[in-house]
Amino acid sequence: MKRVLLKLSGEALAGDNKTGFHEATVLEVAGQVKQIVDKGMEVGVVIGGGNFWRGRTSENMDRTKADQIGMLATVMNCIYVSEIFRSVGLQTQVMTPFVCGGFAKLYTKDEAVKGLEQGVVTFFAGGTGHPYFSTDTATVLRAIEIEADGILLAKSIDGVYDSDPQVNKNAKKYDEIAIQDVIHQKLAVVDMTASILCMENNMPMLVFGLNEPNSIVNTVNGNFNGTKVTV
């Protein structure tokens, strides 16, 4: 793979803190991304907002407004993680699908690809810019747009299971599974909209646990114990 879209779970970045950021975790991620960028890989990044906001659990506000708060949570995440990446020597840019003043650049495919080709780690913040679409959907959408070779899905769980391993201790983990089976079995890898986008646009995913040692580097080198989602 030459160009990848790395999806980071907001909860995973929070570590044991459960909210906000666990800086040691983010520094570990930054060090791994620097290793693969130094070897010539082009990296885009999407970060979820769950370490700050899960508006869908609130019944006391309009869904559109709740999702807008979630979009802003992802902007905060990307600005923070971008700065940690810079501290280890990476070049970064943060792009959003809506105007954020001086905080971020307005997203266009041409500018994103130009940065990636120059070795700039490009953060895609703000989701799709629209309510009712998750950061899963934004991940797949941006991966398709920038013509990534695949998605690296770094989660708090180490792969795809036939049921929730946090609930069912006998849940079976898949080494490899087709996206069509993910959709048919309604497995919670990414949401249904994102899964269908992957299927229709032949976008493969590698799903792995972010908190496993050297997991990002191992994954891009083909040496990982997560789940390969084929198309």
Side-chain angles (χ1 to χ4, degrees):
M1 291 189 291
K2 171 68 175 176
R3 179 180 297 165
V4 296
L5 198 297
L6 173 65
K7 167 68 186 300
L8 297 170
S9 159
E11 294 95 325
L13 291 178
D16 293 335
N17 297 338
K18 304 300 182 184
T19 187
F21 303 106
H22 184 246
E23 188 164 323
T25 298
V26 182
L27 277 166
E28 169 64 22
V29 171
Q32 291 188 63
V33 172
K34 188 171 192 304
Q35 288 184 56
I36 64 177
V37 170
D38 286 348
K39 291 182 178 179
M41 184 164 284
E42 299 170 4
V43 180
V45 181
V46 172
I47 307 175
N51 53 325
F52 283 116
W53 181 255
R54 284 203 167 277
R56 293 181 184 181
T57 61
S58 172
E59 298 178 356
N60 298 316
M61 65 187 305
D62 178 75
R63 168 67 183 272
T64 297
K65 298 301 182 185
D67 283 0
Q68 288 172 345
I69 295 171
M71 291 177 214
L72 293 176
T74 72
V75 175
M76 291 192 296
N77 280 348
C78 285
I79 291 172
Y80 175 85
V81 176
S82 168
E83 285 305 300
I84 299 298
F85 276 30
R86 287 180 181 227
S87 75
V88 301
L90 287 163
Q91 298 181 69
T92 68
Q93 62 179 350
V94 177
M95 307 190 86
T96 54
F98 43 77
V99 175
C100 278
F103 296 156
K105 298 179 180 179
L106 190 62
Y107 169 78
T108 68
K109 173 183 175 175
D110 290 347
E111 286 298 312
V113 170
K114 179 181 178 181
L116 290 166
E117 290 175 344
Q118 294 173 347
V120 178
V121 178
T122 300
F123 289 80
F124 301 108
T128 67
H130 300 282
Y132 295 91
F133 293 98
S134 69
T135 51
D136 286 344
T137 303
T139 297
V140 180
L141 178 62
R142 296 294 180 239
I144 294 165
E145 287 182 310
I146 65 172
E147 301 174 59
D149 298 312
I151 293 169
L152 307 182
L153 199 61
K155 299 170 72 75
S156 55
I157 299 173
D158 64 348
V160 181
Y161 288 78
D162 63 356
S163 60
D164 188 346
Q166 296 178 333
V167 176
N168 177 15
K169 65 179 182 180
N170 296 316
K172 174 190 174 185
K173 180 180 173 182
Y174 296 101
D175 293 326
E176 184 172 314
I177 187 170
I179 189 65
Q180 291 89 345
D181 293 328
V182 169
I183 294 168
H184 179 70
Q185 297 178 43
K186 297 182 179 178
L187 301 176
V189 183
V190 290
D191 64 36
M192 188 63 71
T193 304
S195 295
I196 292 171
L197 268 177
C198 280
M199 181 181 69
E200 292 181 339
N201 293 275
N202 299 314
M203 181 58 64
M205 292 185 288
L206 297 173
V207 186
F208 59 97
L210 177 63
N211 295 321
E212 293 191 3
N214 223 32
S215 59
I216 298 171
V217 173
N218 287 340
T219 296
V220 300
N221 289 334
N223 178 28
F224 81 119
N225 63 353
T227 303
K228 182 177 182 180
V229 180
T230 60
V231 292

